[in-house]
Amino acid sequence: MAKHIFVTGGVVSSLGKGLNSASIGLLLESRGLRVNLQKFDPYVNVDPGTMSPFEHGEVYVTEDGAETDLDLGHYERFTNAVINRDCNFTTGSIYYSVINKERRGEYLGKTVQIVPHITNEIKECIRKVATPGVDVAISEIGGIVGDIESQPFLEAIRQFGLEVGRQNVLYVHLTLVPYLRAADEIKTKPTQHAVSLLRQAGIQPDVLICRCEKPLSQELKAKIALFTSVEKEAVIDEKDVKPYLYEIPLLLKEQGMDNIIIKRLGLKTDGGNLQGWERMLERLKNPRYSTEIAVVGKYIGHQSAYESIYESIVHGGIANDARVKVRRVEAEDVEDKGPEACLDGVSGILVPGGFGERGIEGKIASARYAREKEVPYFGICLGLQCATIEFARNACGLKKANSTEFDKDTPHPVISLLEEQRGIKEMGGTMRLGAQDCLLLPGTRAHAAYGQNKVSERHRHRYEFNNDYRELFDSHGMVLSGLSPDGKLVETMELRDHPWFVCVQFHPEFKSKPTHPHPLFREFVKATLTVDKGQGVEAGGQRSGVRGQGLGVRGQGPGVRG
Ligand code: GLN
């Protein structure tokens, strides 16, 4: 039987419950255990798929096509857990399921109530991640204790502990221990209050992770332990680790987190280690080269709207021994000030996925700048579609080319609605979603990056390259390098005569890990190190990415001109 860990939060949100859940998962895997992870989000939307990234940050897509919370991205980047649609539930999805059961008459005439019907539904969802072979299932509860909407989840995990036996569950509570500059004091009272709320809900935490600016003295840990009834060794402090999020597991391990969990849950472990992770961190922290990449989007001001993109760029850097500085460029600024003003000096340009018209012309102008100035370009989903519009307008002479998403009456709909999307009216969960195969053309950069004929990548879109323009594009130098297995959908394209200009209709950023950088991000970053833009410099300041020398040189190795 799997053991369960529940991760809750107190005092304030955004303390990093997702990263800590993922880190606990990694630590347990490093001890030879198999883990699974899931997140409960207390909001009423059925999933985040219909929410603006300004509200929610990135929508993370799983292999099986669920649109989920971005914390699932942390789970996949840190661990080997198989993350799917059973790994994210919301208040909305729980109620949706209960109400559907009620309509089908499954409650046999009973009054349907929050306790026990909603809480039973939540417990059923918890059991879904304790699949055969999983030693520890980790469930993160979004929001904080004291929120009205968190209460059914807290009640469910309390009941769950009672049902499976207290020795089989561990409650980890993440809390804030602020430092007050004016008083020059570290304050434990907010944590005392948060834990007292948790105990009012019937949950005695076993472990406290205290987020703090300054490390906690033994005396302060003893004080927190006394007021919260948590053993002192299980009061763990966690300083900010920015910019190296991947250090969190090591911080926890230094304080014995894995041993505490293993002892408390009576787990049997057989070896394992963290060496691969530690080696990755070593490379991340001591890079030899550096480069600068612009990400041109419309949610640039939001910290986590492009979470997986930013992380994948870091991974591409790790693969190339390079620190990648990301210049976050607001697409509307490119429209107002022009691409030169916004993009001058960068060694690569990435246009990520997105929806809607705002900023589109800025993204198109960025693709043009990259094509004409021979700056490496990586277009992802909408980034492919913008490059397509740009190429049609400026290389093929179709001045009014557009996507029907932005101009229904365009005379040249180079991007148009997928056949399967016609007639769909509902917004939630109705895009082309999840893993799909793609066949790559040998001799192309995409093929060279993967080193494979057939790949599988995750999708989230309604629009697609219009096949009527295939020949025109090819004859003007845009190679359609990847197709769906039936040959009907263009999945990747690239410029024949350019240092590195690769576009993909899918989202490679959902499959990149720090220990296994995605091949396309690896090759993109490599290409930025080899352009003569004055950027591919040694981290210490010296130029290194000089054409014809060193790493990933233009004209050598994978990603060469095809
Ligand atoms: N809006 C575009 C579409 O629906 C692109 C989607 C995306 O970038 N994820 O096809």
Side-chain angles (χ1 to χ4, degrees), residues 352-356 380-385 403 405-406 415-418 431 459-464 505 507 509:
F355 299 83
I380 294 181
C381 204
L382 185 64
L384 171 145
Q385 299 177 359
S403 161
E405 182 178 3
F406 315 122
I415 300 291
S416 59
L417 200 62
L418 281 157
M431 282 185 248
H459 294 67
R460 182 173 186 248
H461 64 124
R462 294 187 202 281
Y463 294 83
E464 187 51 78
Q505 185 54 71
H507 291 272
E509 72 271 24

Coordinates of all heavy atoms in Angstrom, one line a residue, residues 352-356 380-385 403 405-406 415-418 431 459-464 505 507 509, ligand 1:
P352 N 6.9 32.4 -28.0 CA 6.2 31.3 -27.4 C 4.7 31.2 -27.9 O 4.3 32.0 -28.6 CB 6.3 31.6 -25.9 CG 6.3 33.0 -25.8 CD 7.0 33.6 -27.1
G353 N 4.0 30.3 -27.3 CA 2.6 30.1 -27.6 C 1.7 31.3 -27.1 O 2.2 32.1 -26.3
G354 N 0.5 31.3 -27.6 CA -0.4 32.4 -27.1 C -1.7 32.4 -27.9 O -1.8 31.7 -28.9
F355 N -2.6 33.3 -27.5 CA -3.9 33.3 -28.1 C -4.3 34.8 -28.2 O -3.9 35.6 -27.4 CB -4.9 32.6 -27.2 CG -4.6 31.2 -27.0 CD1 -3.7 30.8 -26.0 CD2 -5.2 30.2 -27.8 CE1 -3.4 29.4 -25.9 CE2 -4.9 28.9 -27.7 CZ -4.0 28.5 -26.7
G356 N -5.1 35.1 -29.2 CA -5.6 36.4 -29.4 C -4.7 37.4 -30.1 O -3.5 37.2 -30.2
I380 N 7.4 28.7 -31.2 CA 6.7 27.6 -30.6 C 5.2 27.9 -30.7 O 4.7 28.9 -30.2 CB 7.1 27.5 -29.1 CG1 8.6 27.0 -29.1 CG2 6.2 26.5 -28.4 CD1 9.2 26.8 -27.8
C381 N 4.4 27.0 -31.3 CA 3.0 27.1 -31.5 C 2.6 28.5 -32.1 O 2.8 28.6 -33.3 CB 2.3 26.9 -30.1 SG 0.6 26.3 -30.4
L382 N 2.1 29.4 -31.4 CA 1.8 30.7 -32.0 C 3.1 31.3 -32.6 O 3.0 32.1 -33.6 CB 1.3 31.7 -30.9 CG 0.8 33.1 -31.5 CD1 -0.4 32.9 -32.4 CD2 0.4 34.0 -30.3
G383 N 4.2 31.0 -32.1 CA 5.5 31.5 -32.6 C 5.7 30.9 -34.0 O 6.4 31.6 -34.9
L384 N 5.3 29.7 -34.3 CA 5.3 29.1 -35.6 C 4.3 29.9 -36.5 O 4.6 30.2 -37.7 CB 5.0 27.6 -35.6 CG 4.8 26.9 -37.0 CD1 5.3 25.5 -36.9 CD2 3.3 26.9 -37.4
Q385 N 3.2 30.1 -36.0 CA 2.1 30.7 -36.8 C 2.5 32.2 -37.2 O 2.3 32.6 -38.3 CB 0.8 30.7 -36.0 CG 0.4 29.3 -35.7 CD -0.9 29.1 -34.9 OE1 -1.5 30.1 -34.5 NE2 -1.3 27.9 -34.6
S403 N -3.6 34.8 -40.1 CA -4.3 33.6 -39.5 C -5.7 34.0 -39.4 O -6.1 35.1 -39.1 CB -3.7 33.3 -38.1 OG -4.6 32.5 -37.4
E405 N -7.5 33.3 -37.1 CA -7.8 33.6 -35.7 C -7.8 35.2 -35.6 O -8.5 35.7 -34.7 CB -6.7 33.0 -34.8 CG -6.9 33.3 -33.3 CD -5.8 32.7 -32.4 OE1 -4.9 32.1 -32.9 OE2 -6.0 32.9 -31.2
F406 N -7.0 35.9 -36.4 CA -6.9 37.3 -36.3 C -7.6 38.1 -37.3 O -8.0 39.3 -37.2 CB -5.4 37.7 -36.2 CG -4.6 36.9 -35.3 CD1 -3.5 36.1 -35.8 CD2 -5.0 36.7 -34.0 CE1 -2.8 35.3 -35.0 CE2 -4.3 35.8 -33.2 CZ -3.2 35.1 -33.7
I415 N -2.6 30.5 -42.0 CA -3.0 29.7 -40.8 C -4.5 29.6 -40.6 O -5.1 30.7 -40.7 CB -2.3 30.3 -39.5 CG1 -0.8 30.4 -39.6 CG2 -2.8 29.6 -38.2 CD1 0.0 29.1 -39.5
S416 N -5.0 28.5 -40.5 CA -6.5 28.4 -40.5 C -6.9 27.3 -39.5 O -6.1 26.5 -39.0 CB -7.1 28.1 -41.8 OG -6.5 26.8 -42.3
L417 N -8.2 27.3 -39.2 CA -8.7 26.5 -38.1 C -8.5 25.0 -38.5 O -8.7 24.6 -39.7 CB -10.2 26.7 -38.0 CG -10.9 26.3 -36.7 CD1 -10.3 27.0 -35.5 CD2 -12.4 26.6 -36.7
L418 N -8.1 24.2 -37.6 CA -8.0 22.7 -37.8 C -9.4 22.2 -38.2 O -10.4 22.6 -37.7 CB -7.6 22.0 -36.5 CG -6.1 22.0 -36.1 CD1 -6.0 21.8 -34.6 CD2 -5.4 21.0 -36.9
M431 N -9.4 22.0 -27.3 CA -8.4 22.2 -28.4 C -7.8 20.8 -28.8 O -8.1 19.8 -28.2 CB -7.3 23.1 -27.8 CG -7.7 24.5 -27.8 SD -6.3 25.5 -27.3 CE -6.9 26.1 -25.7
H459 N 0.6 19.0 -27.5 CA 0.0 20.1 -28.3 C -1.1 20.8 -27.5 O -1.7 20.3 -26.6 CB -0.7 19.5 -29.6 CG 0.3 18.9 -30.5 ND1 1.0 17.8 -30.3 CD2 0.6 19.3 -31.8 CE1 1.8 17.5 -31.3 NE2 1.5 18.4 -32.3
R460 N -1.4 22.0 -27.9 CA -2.5 22.8 -27.4 C -2.8 23.9 -28.4 O -2.3 25.0 -28.3 CB -2.1 23.4 -26.0 CG -3.2 24.2 -25.4 CD -2.9 24.6 -23.9 NE -4.0 25.2 -23.3 CZ -4.1 26.5 -22.9 NH1 -3.1 27.3 -23.2 NH2 -5.2 26.9 -22.4
H461 N -3.6 23.6 -29.3 CA -4.0 24.6 -30.3 C -5.2 24.3 -31.1 O -5.7 23.2 -31.0 CB -2.8 24.8 -31.3 CG -2.5 23.5 -32.2 ND1 -2.5 23.6 -33.5 CD2 -2.3 22.3 -31.8 CE1 -2.3 22.3 -34.0 NE2 -2.1 21.5 -33.0
R462 N -5.8 25.3 -31.8 CA -6.9 25.1 -32.6 C -6.6 25.4 -34.1 O -7.3 25.0 -35.0 CB -8.0 26.1 -32.3 CG -8.7 25.9 -30.9 CD -9.9 26.8 -30.7 NE -10.1 27.0 -29.3 CZ -10.7 26.1 -28.5 NH1 -11.2 25.0 -29.0 NH2 -10.9 26.3 -27.2
Y463 N -5.5 26.2 -34.3 CA -5.2 26.6 -35.7 C -3.9 25.8 -36.2 O -3.2 25.3 -35.4 CB -5.0 28.1 -35.7 CG -6.2 28.9 -35.4 CD1 -6.7 29.1 -34.1 CD2 -7.0 29.3 -36.5 CE1 -7.8 29.7 -33.9 CE2 -8.2 30.0 -36.2 CZ -8.6 30.2 -34.9 OH -9.8 30.8 -34.6
E464 N -3.7 25.9 -37.5 CA -2.7 25.0 -38.1 C -2.3 25.6 -39.4 O -3.0 26.4 -40.0 CB -3.4 23.6 -38.3 CG -2.6 22.4 -38.7 CD -1.3 22.2 -38.0 OE1 -1.4 21.6 -36.8 OE2 -0.3 22.5 -38.5
Q505 N 4.8 23.4 -34.1 CA 3.4 23.6 -33.7 C 3.1 23.1 -32.3 O 2.1 23.5 -31.7 CB 2.5 23.0 -34.8 CG 1.0 23.2 -34.6 CD 0.7 24.7 -34.5 OE1 0.8 25.4 -35.5 NE2 0.3 25.2 -33.3
H507 N 4.5 21.9 -28.2 CA 5.1 22.6 -27.0 C 6.3 21.7 -26.4 O 6.0 21.0 -25.5 CB 4.1 22.9 -26.0 CG 3.1 23.9 -26.4 ND1 3.3 25.2 -26.2 CD2 1.9 23.8 -27.0 CE1 2.3 25.9 -26.7 NE2 1.4 25.1 -27.2
E509 N 8.5 22.6 -24.6 CA 8.9 23.1 -23.2 C 8.3 22.2 -22.1 O 8.7 22.3 -21.0 CB 8.5 24.6 -23.0 CG 7.0 24.9 -22.9 CD 6.3 25.1 -24.3 OE1 6.8 24.7 -25.3 OE2 5.3 25.8 -24.3
Ligands
GLN1 N1 -3.8 30.6 -30.8 C1 -3.1 29.5 -31.6 C2 -4.0 28.3 -31.8 O1 -5.0 28.2 -31.2 C3 -1.8 29.1 -30.9 C4 -2.0 28.3 -29.7 C5 -0.8 28.2 -28.8 O2 0.2 28.9 -29.1 N2 -0.8 27.4 -27.8 O3 -3.7 27.5 -32.7

